[in-house]
Amino acid sequence: MKKEPDTGQIDELREEYDFSGGVRGKYTERYGEGANIVILDPDVAKVFRDSKSVNEALRALVEVANKSAAAG
């Protein structure tokens, strides 16, 4: 019998969770094709707490940049 490695972490999963039928990496390829992952620095993440706020700010920035480019 193999001995489980001691990771020093406490197992917090409840007994009723059953992942025995799970498939590791089942959606990995599809996720990579359709997801743009951006990691925010902690100070920025404090201001932008969700994707909606980030998208609104970026759209405003694009609008300002486009107006600036058209004027110049």
Side-chain angles (χ1 to χ4, degrees):
M1 175 165 61
K2 289 186 177 181
K3 186 175 181 182
E4 292 292 322
D6 181 16
T7 61
Q9 296 178 346
I10 298 171
D11 184 8
E12 296 180 359
L13 289 178
R14 296 180 180 177
E15 290 183 19
E16 63 265 22
Y17 294 161
D18 181 12
F19 295 106
S20 62
V23 178
R24 181 177 215 104
K26 182 176 180 179
Y27 300 104
T28 303
E29 186 176 331
R30 182 170 39 167
Y31 184 75
E33 291 172 358
N36 291 326
I37 304 297
V38 177
I39 307 298
L40 302 177
D41 289 338
D43 59 324
V44 176
K46 286 180 183 177
V47 176
F48 300 104
R49 298 195 178 265
D50 58 15
S51 60
K52 182 180 178 185
S53 63
V54 172
N55 286 323
E56 288 174 356
L58 289 175
R59 285 188 183 104
L61 180 62
V62 168
E63 186 177 333
V64 169
N66 287 340
K67 286 181 181 179
S68 176

